[in-house]
Amino acid sequence: MQQAIIELFQTNPQVAIMISLLLSIAISILGVVPSVFLTAANLIVFGFWGGLFLSFAGEVLGATVSFFLYRKGFKRLNDTRAFQYPKVQKLLQANQKEAFALIISLRILPFIPSGLVTFVAAVGQTTFFTFFIANMIGKIPAIVIESLSVDQLLHLSFEWKIGVTILGLGVLMYIMKKVGVVERNS
């Protein structure tokens, strides 16, 4: 996927930045597609700092568009049974100060799905201004960490990339067994 994005950017250099931003918006709206492939493509094509800035701008723009779409389309869902769990209700009904701190802290953690944070903020009581500022602040360290990590992975030899992939798959399988997604052999 990363190579296809790089080729798309290189064959359309006049609109590569716009394509990157549109892809960021699409990834944010979908909410479950990781953006690491786009970040890697941005770093390769636009250089480290240009790619980092473009990834940051795309993430903020994507979360902003997603917030509006989720708010418009799903606002009425916050009264449904799925949102009656106490912890979800706390997030949904957080005051602006609590929501601000919560959004920043959840954005900094790279393993929390960005789409989930945006969705809960959009269907809850969070104002757009609170969401936008907290999202921007929280995205700064997240994008820097992601960009540095991706940059380091891009410079690894093929053997190290295979090793990191196997290690990542092993950790994923371990987590899935712990959570109960994969049945354990008894």
Side-chain angles (χ1 to χ4, degrees):
M1 179 183 264
Q2 171 188 317
Q3 192 59 39
I5 295 170
I6 291 169
E7 289 174 17
L8 182 64
F9 289 168
Q10 291 173 338
T11 56
N12 301 289
Q14 303 84 356
V15 292
I17 290 173
M18 185 60 68
I19 292 170
S20 178
L21 293 174
L22 290 172
L23 287 172
S24 288
I25 291 170
I27 289 169
S28 290
I29 291 170
L30 293 173
V32 293
V33 178
S35 63
V36 70
F37 298 107
L38 182 56
T39 300
N42 285 340
L43 294 175
I44 290 168
V45 173
F46 301 104
F48 181 80
W49 293 107
L52 184 142
F53 178 75
L54 184 56
S55 294
F56 172 74
E59 293 259 353
V60 170
L61 183 60
T64 301
V65 170
S66 296
F67 181 87
F68 281 118
L69 290 175
Y70 294 166
R71 172 142 298 171
K72 183 154 182 73
F74 297 107
K75 184 68 172 174
R76 64 185 177 276
L77 288 180
N78 68 1
D79 294 329
T80 65
R81 188 177 197 132
F83 291 102
Q84 296 307 311
Y85 296 100
K87 292 188 183 222
V88 173
Q89 281 297 315
K90 184 177 180 183
L91 289 173
L92 290 172
Q93 298 180 7
N95 66 40
Q96 298 313 299
K97 188 176 182 180
E98 292 169 333
F100 185 80
L102 188 60
I103 292 167
I104 288 175
S105 64
L106 291 173
R107 286 293 191 228
I108 291 172
L109 301 172
F111 51 86
I112 302 291
S114 184
L116 180 62
V117 176
T118 303
F119 181 77
V120 172
V123 300
Q125 303 299 316
T126 307
T127 65
F128 170 72
F129 182 75
T130 298
F131 174 79
F132 183 77
I133 299 300
N135 179 59
M136 269 195 2
I137 293 169
K139 284 287 185 186
I140 293 169
I143 290 296
V144 169
I145 291 168
E146 182 177 295
S147 295
L148 287 169
S149 300
V150 168
D151 188 59
Q152 289 302 307
L153 284 173
L154 291 172
H155 292 94
L156 289 178
S157 68
F158 179 75
E159 292 82 9
W160 275 100
K161 288 179 184 178
I162 297 262
V164 168
T165 301
I166 291 169
L167 178 65
L169 290 173
V171 169
L172 179 64
M173 288 300 296
Y174 174 78
I175 291 170
M176 289 172 68
K177 282 183 180 180
K178 282 292 198 189
V179 173
V181 174
V182 176
E183 291 184 29
R184 297 179 191 137
N185 294 334
S186 298

